[in-house]
Amino acid sequence: MSDPIQLVVFGAAGRMGQAIFELASQSPDLEVSAGVVRPGSGVLSSSAENLLPGAYVAHVPADAKADALVDFSGPGGFDAALDLARARGWPLVSGSTGLSQRQLSSMEDAATHIPVLWAANFSLGVAALAHLVSQAARLLPDWDCEIIEAHHRNKRDAPSGTALMLGRRIRAARGGTGADSAIDRSGSRRDGEIGYAAIRAGDIVGEHEVRLAAPGERIELIHRATDRNLFARGALTAARWLAGKPPGFHGIADVLGLDH
Ligand code: NAD
């Protein structure tokens, strides 16, 4: 049997970081070599080594090895994750959302040096939703389009990265015309606008609805995630796919072999 794929998990103390850590520890072909947490994080002093494989660290040792760095640290940790991957020449898989334009540009720049895969959503169902939404938007270019998303009460960014990705797909399917509306818009609807609405409540894992409407009829395309592990599974599939690839920028559609 070949050696397991070594992963460094960035943002390892977070909800997604923990899910990645646990799933990877159950996969014989994967090994977490280190889980990077913030300096001073409570998990550094806890006896977590009895619960989870690998080790929590605030600073990755210079001789650490990784076939991929998996980042779910959000916009606050993303720069440090990207710097680390770039400095060590490690492939980067990131699911951090709420990234600024500067952060997205530096990720694309890094992809000329290392393989990078970024996805606002690692679910297969959402990849299929994006595909269906593009087709509907192309068939119905004049219909009003609104995107409604719901997430747990602790999510920081809004609209979600997935909602924005769906908006970009709709815009591209319609030839790039029109403007997005802010989430807190007021006043009447403009032609060609894509509107966003966000719900933050309880422990909702993630829901996205695209509503296309014309006088007298409407289409609603909805995806509901009920288990956070589905994103972790998708990210680990992406890490397996990206390990050993040459530099370049990829999305989840490349892993799944779907059209963009
Ligand atoms: P979270 O707040 O539970 O976890 C983020 C963790 O990163 C925290 O523990 C935080 O302390 C840590 N962190 C921040 N900066 C760091 C640094 N410099 N070094 C080390 N650790 C650092 O959030 P979450 O729910 O796990 O989500 C994380 C990110 O993933 C968010 O941007 C979220 O929107 C996104 N997300 C993406 C997908 C997807 O499929 N792409 C799915 C779920 C969540």
Side-chain angles (χ1 to χ4, degrees):
M1 205 176 99
S2 53
D3 290 341
I5 294 170
Q6 299 279 330
L7 302 178
V8 166
V9 179
F10 206 96
R15 283 174 289 259
M16 281 303 300
Q18 292 284 291
I20 298 266
F21 228 113
E22 285 176 27
L23 269 183
S25 71
Q26 293 159 14
S27 309
D29 65 325
L30 300 173
E31 206 166 84
V32 177
S33 50
V36 188
V37 300
R38 280 183 193 280
S41 166
V43 298
L44 287 169
S45 52
S46 75
S47 56
E49 71 268 20
N50 294 326
L51 303 172
L52 297 165
Y56 290 116
V57 295
H59 304 285
V60 181
D63 60 353
K65 301 229 177 332
D67 299 302
L69 184 152
V70 182
D71 161 57
F72 276 91
S73 62
F78 175 81
D79 290 336
L82 183 64
D83 286 351
L84 179 64
R86 208 174 153 152
R88 306 283 176 100
W90 292 338
L92 172 71
V93 172
S94 177
S96 289
T97 67
L99 301 181
S100 67
Q101 197 50 54
R102 177 194 60 75
Q103 289 176 311
L104 291 169
S105 300
S106 35
M107 180 164 55
E108 283 179 25
D109 180 58
T112 59
H113 302 277
I114 55 170
V116 174
L117 191 150
W118 178 76
N121 197 307
F122 277 102
S123 136
L124 170 61
V126 164
L129 174 70
H131 191 74
L132 295 172
V133 161
S134 298
Q135 288 184 322
R138 199 172 295 122
L139 287 171
L140 307 165
D142 302 325
W143 285 33
D144 290 344
C145 179
E146 297 279 310
I147 301 174
I148 302 124
E149 54 99 337
H151 285 87
H152 56 87
R153 69 198 319 279
N154 296 315
K155 183 167 177 63
R156 301 213 175 144
D157 52 317
S160 70
T162 302
L164 293 169
M165 176 274 289
L166 292 168
R168 282 194 299 276
R169 294 290 295 264
I170 292 161
R171 182 84 51 233
R174 291 178 164 178
T177 56
D180 283 13
S181 69
I183 206 155
D184 56 353
R185 72 167 181 226
S186 57
S188 57
R189 196 168 208 294
R190 291 165 292 158
D191 286 343
E193 178 178 53
I194 296 176
Y196 296 90
I199 294 161
R200 295 288 174 267
D203 61 354
I204 299 170
V205 173
E207 300 180 0
H208 292 88
E209 171 179 342
V210 176
R211 202 176 287 197
L212 290 148
E217 56 182 332
R218 67 176 185 261
I219 291 175
E220 294 164 1
L221 295 162
I222 307 174
H223 177 270
R224 292 196 176 91
T226 53
D227 178 2
R228 181 169 299 278
N229 275 349
L230 88 99
F231 304 121
R233 269 195 302 275
L236 292 177
T237 300
R240 290 182 180 99
W241 183 88
L242 194 66
K245 287 264 184 313
F249 190 73
H250 305 280
I252 190 70
D254 298 310
V255 181
L256 300 171
L258 290 173
D259 293 341
H260 284 274

